[in-house]
Amino acid sequence: MKLFTPFELGAVTLKNRIVMSPMTRSRAIGNIPNDLMAAYYGQRAGAGLIITEGTSPSPNGLGYARIPGIFNQEQIDGWKKVTKTVHDKGSKIFVQIMHTGRIAHPLNLPEGAQALAPSAVKPAGQMWTDAQQMQDFEVPKEMTTDEVAYAKTEYVKAAKNAMEAGFDGIELHSANGYLLEQFLSPVSNTRTDNYGGSIENRTRFVIEVATEVANIIGAEKTGIRLSPYGVASDMPHYPEIDATYKYLAEQLSNLNIAYIHVVDHSALGAPAVPLEIKQTIRKAFKNAIILAGGHTKESAEAELQSGLADLEAFGRPFINNPDLVERFKNNQPLSTDLHMDQFYSPGEKGYTDYPVYA
């Protein structure tokens, strides 16, 4: 099967084409990566590539409870434990840099931090806070042009920190309704300056961030995640979706970054991402494409064989099957014992206590 063949991704050789998707697991107490997280990722190092959970480049981006950052030395040192464990087991690992933007609550943010967004548009819905449990989102602060410029420097610094921490590369999280995608959508971005209005303006922040990160750490170590037609974090559809992502994919191809990672949440009940937009991105982007979204081994293999994707990402199956790749190789049944109530709870239960196949 093509799934189990090596692949050259930018600067690294992957032992197979199976990617562990980025998944928020909320185990970073004090927003610092720890030994428990190193154990978790180490258990799943059968994957050719691991992409970490969303990791903030800024105190302002720590919107959720107990998510890690990569903006201070203590966090860098914590991540070094993770990268060493994964490398010792023969896998490669990229950190996903995720600024939550408006998807935040003051109770989750450190002192002095604030929820920033392209525009002061409040998202619908609620989020968990350890202090007061579920709380409504609040209206974010519209970023000034100085704050937009400063946020770019935070992404660049985070990418440099990732190199110091031993990561093989970084993935910019421009999906699922977080800061980068908030700039892309005319629903969350109502700006009238150079960062709002036209497709060129709405994509400007994402392209500038990708350009500056690639210039610092190398385009071959830079990837990005996109979710066209996604609705996570209150991102309604808009008429220019196809044109927006076609233009974005073309510009990212010009930057020669390593990959675009397209996520489809229809397996979780969201609207399906049309095949046409995946084909559009594939055609517009010259380097690797990763596809994620409710795959079985067979459906993933079919996408590889068709040429639609170069790598296939699996999320939830990796939670309760730490040895997912071995199970695939040996045609062993996958575990169906999945504790969803422990997805985001602190501690090892529902995290590092899932057994390998026996």
Side-chain angles (χ1 to χ4, degrees), residues 125 226 282 347:
L226 306 176
R282 167 93 267 187

Side-chain angles (χ1 to χ4, degrees), residues 229-251:
Y229 288 88
V231 294
S233 304
D234 190 30
M235 299 300 281
H237 292 171
Y238 52 93
E240 312 92 340
I241 292 178
D242 288 37
T244 298
Y245 282 92
K246 180 175 185 285
Y247 176 80
L248 182 59
E250 289 167 349
Q251 298 304 307

Side-chain angles (χ1 to χ4, degrees), residues 39 67 95 98 146 158 193 209 218 224 236 268 275 277 285 320 344:
I67 66 169
V95 63
M98 173 180 86
D146 283 349
D193 63 2
V209 169
I224 193 167
L268 303 178
L275 176 62
I277 191 71
F285 186 74
N320 56 336
Y344 310 111

Side-chain angles (χ1 to χ4, degrees), residues 97 149-151 186 195 226 248 258 291 340:
I97 301 179
Y150 186 69
Y195 291 97
L226 306 176
L248 182 59
L291 292 183
M340 292 174 65

Side-chain angles (χ1 to χ4, degrees), residues 150-231:
Y150 186 69
K152 282 188 285 184
T153 70
E154 290 179 315
Y155 277 97
V156 171
K157 184 70 163 65
K160 287 166 73 174
N161 291 346
M163 296 300 100
E164 185 186 335
F167 283 102
D168 298 294
I170 68 100
E171 176 176 283
L172 295 170
H173 198 354
S174 185
N176 299 13
Y178 301 120
L179 184 65
L180 292 175
E181 194 192 358
Q182 289 162 29
F183 272 90
L184 295 178
S185 169
V187 180
S188 49
N189 178 357
T190 60
R191 299 175 74 94
T192 55
D193 63 2
N194 286 342
Y195 291 97
S198 67
I199 288 172
E200 290 80 2
N201 282 356
R202 284 186 282 106
T203 55
R204 188 183 307 277
F205 182 64
V206 175
I207 293 164
E208 287 179 350
V209 169
T211 301
E212 292 185 24
V213 166
N215 284 343
I216 288 291
I217 67 167
E220 74 282 359
K221 296 179 182 176
T222 305
I224 193 167
R225 195 179 217 214
L226 306 176
S227 57
Y229 288 88
V231 294

